[in-house]
Amino acid sequence: VVMMLFVIGLELEPSLLWKMRTSILGLGGMQVLVTSVIITVIAVIIGVQWQGAVALGLTLSLSSTAIVLQTMNEKGLMKTDAGQSSFSVLLFQDIAVIPMLAMFPLLATQTISSTDDHTTIVGSLPGWAQTLAVLAAVAIIVVGGKYLMRPVFRFIAQTRLLEIFTAAALLLVIAIAVLMTQVGLSPALGTFLAGVVLANSEYRHELISDIEPFKGLLLGLFFISVGASINFNLILDNPLLILGLVFGLMILKSIVLFSLGKFFKINTDQNLIFSVSLSQAGEFAFVLFSFAAQSMIIEANIINIMIAVVALSMAMTPIVIIIND
């Protein structure tokens, strides 16, 4: 996902991103808010504690960046209204993961002794210092991408050795991912930002062609890991419950997305593609659910069921898109 967002960033010019600000903030923000509220209310009604219900609502409001963008690219839909709207919503969701991760400890129902306080270089710093570290990391990416990386790539290009250029491209992506992880931000968001900064670079096409094979391999591994995470014994023990939750979640999200698409004046055929494509839960749900388990926000048996629901909804997405076609 990190590699994929870097490539997507390279294909986007900052001016285009600015033009899309209304759909990113409006459509993306409304989707996360409305879906979160509805799922939270349903969870409270069926007896989940309000803290766990909020965590469930926020987590299940997200969709799968990897599956949706890969499918849109394969079908040549990225330039259509459905593709642009999907991208806007997914970008907002990826940004929204950061405040969600910050919010989860506040929802914890009991204090737990954490051994993870110092896993990042800013973990032991006070709040204001953490904020400064985050801003500094973003500034390093923007300034470094604009003024430092271009002469570096120009120098590397003069060697005429493709291997060095490939190694430099990989080093850039990995270094940014590590930097963002160390300041507690999403590495996918950091590499996307770096891609956008380098989108006007004369070496954009070389970077895309160098990263593309690695992106394909890692996406393949990602899809295998999604399949491997499905607990089939749990599904066999509760088939009606889990399948009911999967279809219920996908139908609910489709209705919310279709309604928002109508509000934002997306025509019906594009709106159907948009709402069906984003109806699944996303890969960040695995991260958020493990975080919720550590913070004891949601009961373990609920998390096990929801992980199966998330994985199945992701596996169902290509089938649902084919049916829509």
Side-chain angles (χ1 to χ4, degrees), residues 21-325:
R21 66 190 185 280
T22 306
S23 57
I24 292 170
L25 293 173
L27 192 54
M30 288 289 287
Q31 183 276 325
V32 170
L33 179 65
V34 173
T35 310
S36 299
V37 169
I38 293 172
I39 294 173
T40 300
V41 170
I42 293 169
V44 169
I45 289 169
I46 61 175
V48 179
Q49 278 192 326
W50 72 266
Q51 294 96 330
V54 170
L56 279 172
L58 291 170
T59 304
L60 295 176
S61 69
L62 305 174
S63 303
S64 174
T65 303
I67 290 175
V68 176
L69 293 186
Q70 183 70 4
T71 306
M72 291 284 182
N73 276 319
E74 285 172 3
K75 291 180 172 292
L77 294 171
M78 280 306 290
K79 301 293 184 190
T80 64
D81 284 350
Q84 294 291 290
S85 300
S86 298
F87 175 75
S88 299
V89 170
L90 290 165
L91 181 57
F92 184 88
Q93 288 178 357
D94 287 345
I95 296 167
V97 170
I98 300 161
M100 285 181 194
L101 284 168
M103 191 176 172
F104 272 34
L106 304 176
L107 295 171
T109 52
Q110 55 185 293
T111 307
I112 54 171
S113 59
S114 174
T115 55
D116 297 329
D117 287 343
H118 304 287
T119 52
T120 66
I121 55 175
V122 299
S124 57
L125 297 175
W128 63 268
Q130 290 186 23
T131 305
L132 283 178
V134 167
L135 293 173
V138 172
I140 287 168
I141 291 170
V142 174
V143 175
K146 193 155 189 170
Y147 299 107
L148 181 64
M149 290 317 299
R150 286 183 186 180
V152 168
F153 281 125
R154 199 172 295 124
F155 175 74
I156 292 168
Q158 286 170 1
T159 66
R160 300 189 182 281
L161 290 171
L162 180 63
E163 295 83 356
I164 297 179
F165 204 97
T166 304
L170 285 172
L171 175 63
L172 175 66
V173 174
I174 293 164
I176 291 166
V178 170
L179 173 66
M180 296 304 270
T181 306
Q182 286 300 310
V183 296
L185 291 181
S186 160
L189 185 65
T191 48
F192 172 76
L193 180 61
V196 171
V197 172
L198 290 168
N200 291 324
S201 163
E202 61 268 41
Y203 300 108
R204 178 176 79 160
H205 298 296
E206 285 90 338
L207 284 167
I208 292 171
S209 61
D210 284 342
I211 295 292
E212 197 74 43
F214 298 97
K215 185 199 85 172
L217 282 170
L218 290 171
L219 267 179
L221 280 174
F222 166 75
F223 291 126
I224 290 169
S225 70
V226 169
S229 70
I230 299 173
N231 184 341
F232 287 101
N233 290 328
L234 183 66
I235 294 167
L236 290 172
D237 290 341
N238 309 278
L240 294 176
L241 171 65
I242 289 174
L243 289 174
L245 286 170
V246 170
F247 287 113
L249 175 67
M250 295 184 80
I251 290 166
L252 170 66
K253 290 186 79 171
S254 294
I255 292 168
V256 169
L257 287 158
F258 190 81
S259 304
L260 289 172
K262 280 288 182 192
F263 181 77
F264 281 87
K265 296 182 171 56
I266 303 171
N267 63 46
T268 303
D269 60 332
Q270 292 292 306
N271 199 6
L272 279 169
I273 297 169
F274 165 64
S275 52
V276 164
S277 299
L278 293 169
S279 62
Q280 75 295 114
E283 56 275 348
F284 281 117
F286 299 120
V287 178
L288 290 166
F289 278 138
S290 68
F291 205 70
Q294 288 169 20
S295 305
M296 298 183 187
I297 302 168
I298 308 172
E299 293 173 28
N301 62 326
I302 296 176
I303 287 176
N304 290 334
I305 289 170
M306 293 319 300
I307 285 173
V309 169
V310 168
L312 277 178
S313 74
M314 291 167 79
M316 289 281 293
T317 303
I319 300 166
V320 174
I321 290 171
I322 289 167
I323 292 167
N324 180 63
D325 287 347

Side-chain angles (χ1 to χ4, degrees), residues 7 9 19 110 281:
V7 173
K19 283 178 191 170
Q110 55 185 293

